[in-house]
Amino acid sequence: WPKLALERIDRGEGAVYMTEHATQLLSRLAQQTWYRFATAFINMRDWIASRNQRNEDQPEVIFLVKAAFDTDTAEHREHLWFQIDAVEGDHASGVLLHSPLSVKSVQENSRARLDLPQVTDWRVWLGGVPYSPSSAKAMMHAVDRIREQPDE
C-alpha cells in the first residue's frame, strides 16, 4: 500500500495529512523566516534582471510558497503550492502549481495573492539546491555567494 499511496500523491490524486499541531509548527517557522524569503526573492529578482539585460546565463532560481485555503467544510484547510513571481512586504503573488482537491476558489495555473497568515511553508531552489525555513540562514549565504559571482 505505501507504493500505491505514493503513486497517487505523485499523480496529484492524493495528499499527505499532517496533524494540526505539526502544521502550526511549520507555519510558525515559515512566517518567522518570511523576511529572509522576501529578502532573498528581491535580491535574486534584481540580480536575475541585471544578468538578463546582459544576456548572461544564471542558475535556476525558484521560489515556492505553500498557503492554507479554506475548504467547503470549515473544519479543514487545504495547503497549496504556488510558484512566486512577486513579493511585497507581507504578501506574495504567484501561480498555483497543482489542482486542489477540495478548494474551489482557485484552480491549477491560476494566480493568487497570498497573505503572510496563509503561509504554512516555503521552498527556494538556488542552482538546484533546496532551502526551507529551517535552512533560511544558509539560503541567505547562498544568495550572497551567487550575487558575488564575477560578471563574465
Side-chain angles (χ1 to χ4, degrees), residues 80-83 85 94-100 105-112:
L80 307 173
W81 283 100
F82 291 80
Q83 185 161 348
D85 54 31
V95 175
L96 180 58
L97 295 176
H98 55 92
S99 295
S105 60
V106 292
Q107 292 89 32
E108 185 175 6
N109 297 318
S110 64
R111 290 191 56 72

PDB file of all heavy atoms in Angstrom, residues 80-83 85 94-100 105-112:
ATOM      1  N   LEU A  80      -1.769  24.551  -0.455  1.00  0.00           N
ATOM      2  CA  LEU A  80      -1.483  24.558  -1.889  1.00  0.00           C
ATOM      3  C   LEU A  80      -0.147  25.243  -2.168  1.00  0.00           C
ATOM      4  O   LEU A  80       0.187  26.248  -1.536  1.00  0.00           O
ATOM      5  CB  LEU A  80      -2.605  25.303  -2.631  1.00  0.00           C
ATOM      6  CG  LEU A  80      -4.028  24.826  -2.349  1.00  0.00           C
ATOM      7  CD1 LEU A  80      -5.039  25.746  -3.017  1.00  0.00           C
ATOM      8  CD2 LEU A  80      -4.209  23.387  -2.803  1.00  0.00           C
ATOM      9  N   TRP A  81       0.593  24.710  -3.154  1.00  0.00           N
ATOM     10  CA  TRP A  81       1.899  25.255  -3.523  1.00  0.00           C
ATOM     11  C   TRP A  81       1.769  26.199  -4.711  1.00  0.00           C
ATOM     12  O   TRP A  81       1.147  25.868  -5.711  1.00  0.00           O
ATOM     13  CB  TRP A  81       2.862  24.131  -3.884  1.00  0.00           C
ATOM     14  CG  TRP A  81       3.402  23.421  -2.690  1.00  0.00           C
ATOM     15  CD1 TRP A  81       2.991  22.229  -2.189  1.00  0.00           C
ATOM     16  CD2 TRP A  81       4.465  23.869  -1.841  1.00  0.00           C
ATOM     17  NE1 TRP A  81       3.736  21.893  -1.080  1.00  0.00           N
ATOM     18  CE2 TRP A  81       4.657  22.884  -0.841  1.00  0.00           C
ATOM     19  CE3 TRP A  81       5.288  24.997  -1.823  1.00  0.00           C
ATOM     20  CZ2 TRP A  81       5.614  22.995   0.154  1.00  0.00           C
ATOM     21  CZ3 TRP A  81       6.240  25.104  -0.824  1.00  0.00           C
ATOM     22  CH2 TRP A  81       6.400  24.117   0.138  1.00  0.00           C
ATOM     23  N   PHE A  82       2.415  27.367  -4.586  1.00  0.00           N
ATOM     24  CA  PHE A  82       2.437  28.398  -5.625  1.00  0.00           C
ATOM     25  C   PHE A  82       3.874  28.716  -6.000  1.00  0.00           C
ATOM     26  O   PHE A  82       4.749  28.802  -5.118  1.00  0.00           O
ATOM     27  CB  PHE A  82       1.785  29.690  -5.113  1.00  0.00           C
ATOM     28  CG  PHE A  82       0.310  29.578  -4.909  1.00  0.00           C
ATOM     29  CD1 PHE A  82      -0.209  28.989  -3.765  1.00  0.00           C
ATOM     30  CD2 PHE A  82      -0.570  30.053  -5.866  1.00  0.00           C
ATOM     31  CE1 PHE A  82      -1.576  28.873  -3.568  1.00  0.00           C
ATOM     32  CE2 PHE A  82      -1.939  29.948  -5.678  1.00  0.00           C
ATOM     33  CZ  PHE A  82      -2.443  29.353  -4.533  1.00  0.00           C
ATOM     34  N   GLN A  83       4.117  28.930  -7.282  1.00  0.00           N
ATOM     35  CA  GLN A  83       5.405  29.454  -7.717  1.00  0.00           C
ATOM     36  C   GLN A  83       5.289  30.972  -7.690  1.00  0.00           C
ATOM     37  O   GLN A  83       4.427  31.560  -8.340  1.00  0.00           O
ATOM     38  CB  GLN A  83       5.798  28.972  -9.103  1.00  0.00           C
ATOM     39  CG  GLN A  83       7.200  29.446  -9.469  1.00  0.00           C
ATOM     40  CD  GLN A  83       7.810  28.652 -10.597  1.00  0.00           C
ATOM     41  OE1 GLN A  83       7.314  27.603 -10.992  1.00  0.00           O
ATOM     42  NE2 GLN A  83       8.915  29.161 -11.116  1.00  0.00           N
ATOM     43  N   ASP A  85       6.146  34.931  -8.147  1.00  0.00           N
ATOM     44  CA  ASP A  85       6.777  35.850  -9.100  1.00  0.00           C
ATOM     45  C   ASP A  85       6.751  37.294  -8.616  1.00  0.00           C
ATOM     46  O   ASP A  85       7.238  38.191  -9.304  1.00  0.00           O
ATOM     47  CB  ASP A  85       6.146  35.730 -10.494  1.00  0.00           C
ATOM     48  CG  ASP A  85       4.651  35.914 -10.479  1.00  0.00           C
ATOM     49  OD1 ASP A  85       4.129  36.660  -9.627  1.00  0.00           O
ATOM     50  OD2 ASP A  85       3.981  35.297 -11.323  1.00  0.00           O
ATOM     51  N   GLY A  94       1.609  34.565  -7.013  1.00  0.00           N
ATOM     52  CA  GLY A  94       2.166  33.511  -7.826  1.00  0.00           C
ATOM     53  C   GLY A  94       1.099  32.661  -8.461  1.00  0.00           C
ATOM     54  O   GLY A  94      -0.099  32.951  -8.372  1.00  0.00           O
ATOM     55  N   VAL A  95       1.554  31.584  -9.094  1.00  0.00           N
ATOM     56  CA  VAL A  95       0.697  30.693  -9.861  1.00  0.00           C
ATOM     57  C   VAL A  95       0.603  29.344  -9.141  1.00  0.00           C
ATOM     58  O   VAL A  95       1.626  28.780  -8.731  1.00  0.00           O
ATOM     59  CB  VAL A  95       1.270  30.505 -11.283  1.00  0.00           C
ATOM     60  CG1 VAL A  95       0.477  29.490 -12.070  1.00  0.00           C
ATOM     61  CG2 VAL A  95       1.327  31.841 -12.008  1.00  0.00           C
ATOM     62  N   LEU A  96      -0.622  28.845  -9.007  1.00  0.00           N
ATOM     63  CA  LEU A  96      -0.849  27.552  -8.358  1.00  0.00           C
ATOM     64  C   LEU A  96      -0.279  26.430  -9.218  1.00  0.00           C
ATOM     65  O   LEU A  96      -0.557  26.351 -10.417  1.00  0.00           O
ATOM     66  CB  LEU A  96      -2.347  27.328  -8.127  1.00  0.00           C
ATOM     67  CG  LEU A  96      -2.742  26.016  -7.456  1.00  0.00           C
ATOM     68  CD1 LEU A  96      -2.073  25.853  -6.093  1.00  0.00           C
ATOM     69  CD2 LEU A  96      -4.249  25.930  -7.323  1.00  0.00           C
ATOM     70  N   LEU A  97       0.501  25.551  -8.613  1.00  0.00           N
ATOM     71  CA  LEU A  97       1.225  24.519  -9.347  1.00  0.00           C
ATOM     72  C   LEU A  97       0.461  23.202  -9.518  1.00  0.00           C
ATOM     73  O   LEU A  97       0.917  22.337 -10.261  1.00  0.00           O
ATOM     74  CB  LEU A  97       2.554  24.230  -8.653  1.00  0.00           C
ATOM     75  CG  LEU A  97       3.543  25.390  -8.654  1.00  0.00           C
ATOM     76  CD1 LEU A  97       4.780  25.014  -7.842  1.00  0.00           C
ATOM     77  CD2 LEU A  97       3.919  25.776 -10.071  1.00  0.00           C
ATOM     78  N   HIS A  98      -0.649  23.026  -8.843  1.00  0.00           N
ATOM     79  CA  HIS A  98      -1.368  21.748  -8.915  1.00  0.00           C
ATOM     80  C   HIS A  98      -2.862  21.982  -8.722  1.00  0.00           C
ATOM     81  O   HIS A  98      -3.288  23.047  -8.296  1.00  0.00           O
ATOM     82  CB  HIS A  98      -0.835  20.767  -7.870  1.00  0.00           C
ATOM     83  CG  HIS A  98      -0.874  21.318  -6.482  1.00  0.00           C
ATOM     84  ND1 HIS A  98      -1.934  21.131  -5.643  1.00  0.00           N
ATOM     85  CD2 HIS A  98       0.020  22.076  -5.799  1.00  0.00           C
ATOM     86  CE1 HIS A  98      -1.688  21.735  -4.484  1.00  0.00           C
ATOM     87  NE2 HIS A  98      -0.517  22.323  -4.562  1.00  0.00           N
ATOM     88  N   SER A  99      -3.635  20.968  -9.022  1.00  0.00           N
ATOM     89  CA  SER A  99      -5.090  21.061  -8.861  1.00  0.00           C
ATOM     90  C   SER A  99      -5.465  20.814  -7.406  1.00  0.00           C
ATOM     91  O   SER A  99      -5.069  19.800  -6.825  1.00  0.00           O
ATOM     92  CB  SER A  99      -5.795  20.013  -9.727  1.00  0.00           C
ATOM     93  OG  SER A  99      -5.573  20.266 -11.079  1.00  0.00           O
ATOM     94  N   PRO A 100      -6.229  21.714  -6.822  1.00  0.00           N
ATOM     95  CA  PRO A 100      -6.693  21.485  -5.451  1.00  0.00           C
ATOM     96  C   PRO A 100      -7.650  20.300  -5.390  1.00  0.00           C
ATOM     97  O   PRO A 100      -8.363  20.027  -6.353  1.00  0.00           O
ATOM     98  CB  PRO A 100      -7.429  22.777  -5.094  1.00  0.00           C
ATOM     99  CG  PRO A 100      -7.046  23.766  -6.127  1.00  0.00           C
ATOM    100  CD  PRO A 100      -6.661  23.002  -7.340  1.00  0.00           C
ATOM    101  N   SER A 105     -11.940  27.913  -4.855  1.00  0.00           N
ATOM    102  CA  SER A 105     -11.675  29.325  -5.175  1.00  0.00           C
ATOM    103  C   SER A 105     -10.489  29.519  -6.112  1.00  0.00           C
ATOM    104  O   SER A 105     -10.341  30.607  -6.676  1.00  0.00           O
ATOM    105  CB  SER A 105     -11.456  30.123  -3.891  1.00  0.00           C
ATOM    106  OG  SER A 105     -10.350  29.601  -3.169  1.00  0.00           O
ATOM    107  N   VAL A 106      -9.642  28.511  -6.288  1.00  0.00           N
ATOM    108  CA  VAL A 106      -8.507  28.601  -7.207  1.00  0.00           C
ATOM    109  C   VAL A 106      -8.363  27.289  -7.977  1.00  0.00           C
ATOM    110  O   VAL A 106      -8.774  26.232  -7.494  1.00  0.00           O
ATOM    111  CB  VAL A 106      -7.170  28.915  -6.480  1.00  0.00           C
ATOM    112  CG1 VAL A 106      -7.153  30.312  -5.896  1.00  0.00           C
ATOM    113  CG2 VAL A 106      -6.876  27.889  -5.406  1.00  0.00           C
ATOM    114  N   GLN A 107      -7.804  27.395  -9.170  1.00  0.00           N
ATOM    115  CA  GLN A 107      -7.532  26.208  -9.976  1.00  0.00           C
ATOM    116  C   GLN A 107      -6.054  26.192 -10.348  1.00  0.00           C
ATOM    117  O   GLN A 107      -5.375  27.215 -10.289  1.00  0.00           O
ATOM    118  CB  GLN A 107      -8.358  26.207 -11.276  1.00  0.00           C
ATOM    119  CG  GLN A 107      -9.836  26.032 -11.094  1.00  0.00           C
ATOM    120  CD  GLN A 107     -10.521  27.372 -10.895  1.00  0.00           C
ATOM    121  OE1 GLN A 107     -10.087  28.373 -11.430  1.00  0.00           O
ATOM    122  NE2 GLN A 107     -11.570  27.387 -10.097  1.00  0.00           N
ATOM    123  N   GLU A 108      -5.592  25.038 -10.798  1.00  0.00           N
ATOM    124  CA  GLU A 108      -4.212  24.913 -11.259  1.00  0.00           C
ATOM    125  C   GLU A 108      -3.925  25.983 -12.304  1.00  0.00           C
ATOM    126  O   GLU A 108      -4.760  26.276 -13.154  1.00  0.00           O
ATOM    127  CB  GLU A 108      -3.992  23.526 -11.857  1.00  0.00           C
ATOM    128  CG  GLU A 108      -2.557  23.269 -12.262  1.00  0.00           C
ATOM    129  CD  GLU A 108      -2.327  21.847 -12.738  1.00  0.00           C
ATOM    130  OE1 GLU A 108      -3.306  21.082 -12.869  1.00  0.00           O
ATOM    131  OE2 GLU A 108      -1.173  21.499 -12.970  1.00  0.00           O
ATOM    132  N   ASN A 109      -2.755  26.589 -12.220  1.00  0.00           N
ATOM    133  CA  ASN A 109      -2.275  27.653 -13.106  1.00  0.00           C
ATOM    134  C   ASN A 109      -2.959  28.997 -12.893  1.00  0.00           C
ATOM    135  O   ASN A 109      -2.681  29.942 -13.622  1.00  0.00           O
ATOM    136  CB  ASN A 109      -2.371  27.262 -14.588  1.00  0.00           C
ATOM    137  CG  ASN A 109      -1.489  26.084 -14.907  1.00  0.00           C
ATOM    138  OD1 ASN A 109      -0.351  25.998 -14.451  1.00  0.00           O
ATOM    139  ND2 ASN A 109      -2.017  25.134 -15.664  1.00  0.00           N
ATOM    140  N   SER A 110      -3.848  29.104 -11.903  1.00  0.00           N
ATOM    141  CA  SER A 110      -4.457  30.406 -11.633  1.00  0.00           C
ATOM    142  C   SER A 110      -3.535  31.209 -10.720  1.00  0.00           C
ATOM    143  O   SER A 110      -2.743  30.662  -9.964  1.00  0.00           O
ATOM    144  CB  SER A 110      -5.852  30.257 -11.022  1.00  0.00           C
ATOM    145  OG  SER A 110      -5.785  29.639  -9.754  1.00  0.00           O
ATOM    146  N   ARG A 111      -3.654  32.535 -10.815  1.00  0.00           N
ATOM    147  CA  ARG A 111      -2.855  33.432  -9.987  1.00  0.00           C
ATOM    148  C   ARG A 111      -3.580  33.726  -8.684  1.00  0.00           C
ATOM    149  O   ARG A 111      -4.809  33.761  -8.652  1.00  0.00           O
ATOM    150  CB  ARG A 111      -2.596  34.748 -10.712  1.00  0.00           C
ATOM    151  CG  ARG A 111      -1.661  34.612 -11.886  1.00  0.00           C
ATOM    152  CD  ARG A 111      -1.223  35.966 -12.425  1.00  0.00           C
ATOM    153  NE  ARG A 111      -0.607  36.805 -11.402  1.00  0.00           N
ATOM    154  CZ  ARG A 111       0.598  36.612 -10.864  1.00  0.00           C
ATOM    155  NH1 ARG A 111       1.341  35.600 -11.254  1.00  0.00           N
ATOM    156  NH2 ARG A 111       1.076  37.429  -9.951  1.00  0.00           N
ATOM    157  N   ALA A 112      -2.806  33.948  -7.636  1.00  0.00           N
ATOM    158  CA  ALA A 112      -3.394  34.316  -6.348  1.00  0.00           C
ATOM    159  C   ALA A 112      -2.427  35.215  -5.595  1.00  0.00           C
ATOM    160  O   ALA A 112      -1.213  35.120  -5.756  1.00  0.00           O
ATOM    161  CB  ALA A 112      -3.722  33.081  -5.520  1.00  0.00           C
TER     162      ALA A 112
END
